[in-house]
Amino acid sequence: MPKTSGNAKQRLVLTARGLVKKYGDAVALGGLDLDLRSGECVALIGHNGSGKTTAMRIMAGLMEPSEGSVKIKGIDIHVARGNPITRSAIAFAPDNPVLYDDLTVEEHLILTGLAHGVGDGLDERIDIVLEELGLTDRRDYLPSQLSRGMRQKTSIACTLVRPLEVLMLDEPVVGLDPPSQRLLRDEISRLISDEVAVILTTHQIEFARGIAAKAVILDNGEMVDHGAFDQVVEGEKAASLGLV
Amino acid sequence: MSSVELHPADAIAFLKASRRANHRGRSAFDRLYTIYILAISTVVIGVLGYGSLRNHPFSPENIASVNARLPFILAAFFGLVFIGVLRFATWQGPVSFSRPDVPFLLGSPLSRGELVKPKLIGAAIFGAAASAGLGIVVFVFLEAKMLADAGPLLGATLAGPVLFGLLAVGLSWHVESSIRRARWVVRWGWILFVLAVAVALGVRDPSGDLASAALWSGPWGWAAAPIVAAAGGSAPMWPVTLGLLAVSATAALFTALRSADAAPMEELARRAGLRSGLSAALYVQDFRGLAMLGREARRALFLPRKRKIRHPRRALLVVPWRDALALLRAPSRFVWAAALVGAGALVGGASGNHPGGLALAIVLGYFAAARLVETVRQEADDPDAAGRLPWAFGDVILMHTLVPSVVLAGLGWVVIGVAALDGVLTGAEAGPSIGLVALASPMLVICAAGVAQRGRLPIELLFYGSEIVILWYALGPLLGLIALGAPVASMIGNFDRDLGMSQAASSAAFFLALGLVLGITILRRRRPKTP
């Protein structure tokens, strides 16, 4: 069981402090603090519009925060925009997979590997990832030939084929059937064992149970509860918000 | 797995090769054939056009007149292109990425500057080439009609526009790479637009001092000066303006390339999303979709102001309340409508009752009405929305015409007031005019609403050829012309028979009232489009 919680051996890889995102008067995220250590998985839980995806996109460097900072290995990703060290560290799979319509599954993985400087061993790595996610027989398919779930798996495969330190998965199980969800859970567990830090957003508490050591509950952009996963999901807030 | 040094070129080369291999579109031969056809057509049309122009050169008097006006025409043209390019950069710009480029390339550790630079250089080459093409068109016209010395003229028509194109590309990257600058362009760009229009108005009464001011007013004038000089006009300082342009273009491009990695990821991702929508909308000639993308882009820069109006208590007022809210939250529609009404009044007044001028004035009035019926288009976008109201679809559309009619009539009355104060209209003429505007405004709004409720261009029309598509889009102005044509014609006929304003106005009012009854009847019978 890869579920771990902070200990002395785990390195702090991501620090988010006071993350706020405002659109005029509307507050999408009202102040998120998060420490993420290597080999640790944190689940961001909340209803639609609670700010999970906004938080994730800010931490992935895809969105600028109105206030606050995100540091990877001590480097503020929004100050040192496009820093190769931070971008090498983060792998992000969005909830809505965006793929090139004229690249096959395998070519997406090759492109990702090349862009991340994977040299020797890329072909073998691709074979392994495709096998682990059940995509081997779809390796020559174009996105238009894939179902929503298969496109989602391709997007996730792209995050796994390259070296990474922080894996961010936004609603990773949307569109995945139960066997694929199990494959993904196994893959995340393996990554956690390999000291990769994982942040995932989900509505499905059961998916996160067993792999996430910590949980953060967001409601209307506010962080209303956080702590050890079991403690949070069995706590009052989760119950009052109807999350469990 | 071992890591190697990162080379963006390798990833991009792989991406291009894979995409080419999987692309099932046109072959290289097809592409070359298209280029060949375009090139041969351009040469043939160019030679024929040049010959035709050359056979009928301007007289010496005309040449002098054109030379006097050329600084204004060229400076205004370059000015409009300048603001157009900068405005484009507020939502697209010279560097664009596809949606998948965002996670796969921009999200990777590849140097963002190295990803941006080739696109920026490509945009500069394209900008220079397009400007050169434009310069050649200007050269052909001036050489053939004004018999100017070909060598210096060709040099001037290439150098000015090409440097101007490079400057525009460089500056537009600076706009694209900074949300603050993009906001600045959107907020203050209208000043440049007004300046360009003011320069264009100089054509009416060209004088040496004004021409000199136009040529020194900015890069648009600097680019025009060498052409003016080479065509035989007065621009003695053109080497200085050309030098200024060269220095500005070099500085803009140099600093753009140096700041190639400056654009925020969020901004590039937003533009990538807009680009995919833009391509789709252009492919199906969906101008409504294009307008909505433009609005979405503006909203990313400026959040819409949530001005409120207290909601009414009577159900029948709910649709006008919704329309008033829409206008209040998009005041640019009102500004556009006012500008179009003003332009229509100017054109109509200057037409001297010429049918062409009056027709143009009516069309401008129609466009003003069309700017005000956005909520009807929204009903067409979502026909189910009207279904949630307790009235028939046609009645809802009719209700949507109330506020635009009042607003348009109000604008018309302002024009009448200005004309009366200016002495263009006498007191005896102003009274009937107020009544006619009260009838003509709802007539134009009903035409615009009838056209707007059709929704977007049906894709199947694209298969029937461009004439049908043009007709589909032209239906609105045509309807406006038909609806107001008869009243206007009857008025002019009565004036020609030396009848007074009140008699002329009463016959026009009769036609307008008849048209209104017909328009309301037709509008009330409209049904929502079924998917």
Side-chain angles (χ1 to χ4, degrees), chain B residues 289-306:
Chain B
L290 283 178
M292 289 175 78
L293 279 173
R295 195 181 315 157
E296 189 186 325
R298 276 193 299 281
R299 280 186 178 167
L301 293 174
F302 300 102
L303 286 164
R305 290 171 194 162
K306 283 186 267 180

Side-chain angles (χ1 to χ4, degrees), chain B residues 305-350:
Chain B
R305 290 171 194 162
K306 283 186 267 180
R307 294 194 180 102
K308 291 187 177 177
I309 309 174
R310 213 167 62 166
H311 66 79
R313 300 212 176 274
R314 296 183 61 181
L316 274 172
L317 292 176
V318 75
V319 175
W321 171 72
R322 188 262 172 280
D323 292 338
L325 266 184
L327 259 185
L328 203 64
R329 289 180 183 172
S332 66
R333 293 188 179 284
F334 175 79
V335 173
W336 266 108
L340 286 162
V341 166
L346 284 176
V347 170

Side-chain angles (χ1 to χ4, degrees), chain A residues 21 23-26 57 61-64 81-82 84-85 87-88 90 96 98-104 107-108 110-112 114-122 125 142 158 160-163, chain B residues 1-7 10-12 14-15 18-24 98-112 115 177 261-267 269 303 306:
Chain A
K21 184 70 180 179
Y23 297 96
D25 303 334
R57 294 184 74 82
L62 295 171
M63 193 181 263
E64 304 279 326
R81 276 182 194 155
I85 295 171
R87 278 197 280 166
S88 294
I90 303 169
N96 187 18
V98 180
L99 302 171
Y100 290 102
D101 58 4
D102 49 3
L103 249 55
T104 64
E107 285 162 350
H108 277 95
I110 296 172
L111 176 67
T112 308
L114 282 176
H116 284 268
V118 179
D120 300 335
L122 177 60
R125 181 71 196 139
L142 291 168
C158 289
L160 304 180
V161 78
R162 40 159 290 197
Chain B
M1 216 172 15
S2 68
S3 290
V4 295
E5 198 182 337
L6 290 170
H7 293 294
D10 291 345
I12 292 167
F14 172 78
L15 178 62
S18 302
R19 299 183 83 172
R20 210 176 296 126
N22 294 328
H23 196 61
R24 295 189 180 83
S98 70
R99 285 185 69 209
D101 282 343
V102 175
F104 285 96
L105 297 180
L106 295 173
S108 77
L110 298 175
S111 156
R112 192 172 298 165
L115 290 170
S177 59
D261 58 355
M265 177 79 150
E266 185 177 353
E267 194 55 18
L303 286 164
K306 283 186 267 180

Side-chain angles (χ1 to χ4, degrees), chain B residues 237-523:
Chain B
M237 298 291 278
W238 71 265
V240 180
T241 63
L242 196 62
L244 274 173
L245 195 59
V247 170
S248 314
T250 308
L253 273 182
F254 180 72
T255 50
L257 286 168
R258 279 194 51 145
S259 63
D261 58 355
M265 177 79 150
E266 185 177 353
E267 194 55 18
L268 292 174
R270 183 176 72 81
R271 286 161 191 263
L274 284 171
R275 180 182 131 171
S276 89
L278 181 71
S279 311
L282 281 175
Y283 187 70
V284 295
Q285 299 176 26
D286 177 11
F287 297 116
R288 166 97 178 124
L290 283 178
M292 289 175 78
L293 279 173
R295 195 181 315 157
E296 189 186 325
R298 276 193 299 281
R299 280 186 178 167
L301 293 174
F302 300 102
L303 286 164
R305 290 171 194 162
K306 283 186 267 180
R307 294 194 180 102
K308 291 187 177 177
I309 309 174
R310 213 167 62 166
H311 66 79
R313 300 212 176 274
R314 296 183 61 181
L316 274 172
L317 292 176
V318 75
V319 175
W321 171 72
R322 188 262 172 280
D323 292 338
L325 266 184
L327 259 185
L328 203 64
R329 289 180 183 172
S332 66
R333 293 188 179 284
F334 175 79
V335 173
W336 266 108
L340 286 162
V341 166
L346 284 176
V347 170
S351 70
N353 289 349
H354 186 277
L358 291 173
L360 182 57
I362 293 172
V363 169
L364 287 168
Y366 169 81
F367 284 137
R371 296 297 299 173
L372 299 171
V373 294
E374 174 64 13
T375 48
V376 178
R377 288 187 203 95
Q378 287 172 349
E379 297 290 2
D381 287 342
D382 179 13
D384 291 342
R388 289 191 284 271
L389 296 171
W391 305 291
F393 181 78
D395 288 341
V396 173
I397 299 299
L398 185 63
M399 288 177 193
H400 276 303
T401 62
L402 183 65
V403 169
S405 297
V406 170
V407 171
L408 197 63
L411 290 171
W413 291 330
V414 169
V415 168
I416 290 170
V418 171
L421 287 174
D422 205 32
V424 178
L425 283 179
T426 63
E429 289 168 334
S433 300
I434 288 171
L436 286 179
V437 163
L439 290 169
S441 300
M443 190 69 250
L444 283 174
V445 170
I446 283 174
C447 291
V451 168
Q453 64 80 40
R454 294 178 306 170
R456 298 182 185 200
L457 175 80
I459 290 177
E460 58 269 23
L461 284 192
L462 295 175
F463 300 114
Y464 291 104
S466 53
E467 299 86 356
I468 299 293
V469 173
I470 291 169
L471 191 64
W472 198 87
Y473 280 116
L475 184 66
L478 285 175
L479 267 179
L481 281 173
I482 292 167
L484 291 199
V488 170
S490 86
M491 271 191 87
I492 292 171
N494 284 335
F495 285 141
D496 288 346
R497 287 198 294 276
D498 290 331
L499 294 177
M501 178 68 182
S502 57
Q503 283 169 296
S506 57
S507 77
F510 169 75
F511 280 111
L512 281 171
L514 202 65
L516 268 178
V517 171
L518 189 66
I520 289 170
T521 309
I522 292 172
L523 209 56

Side-chain angles (χ1 to χ4, degrees), chain B residues 42-52:
Chain B
T42 307
V43 169
V44 169
I45 291 169
V47 169
L48 288 175
Y50 177 75
S52 167

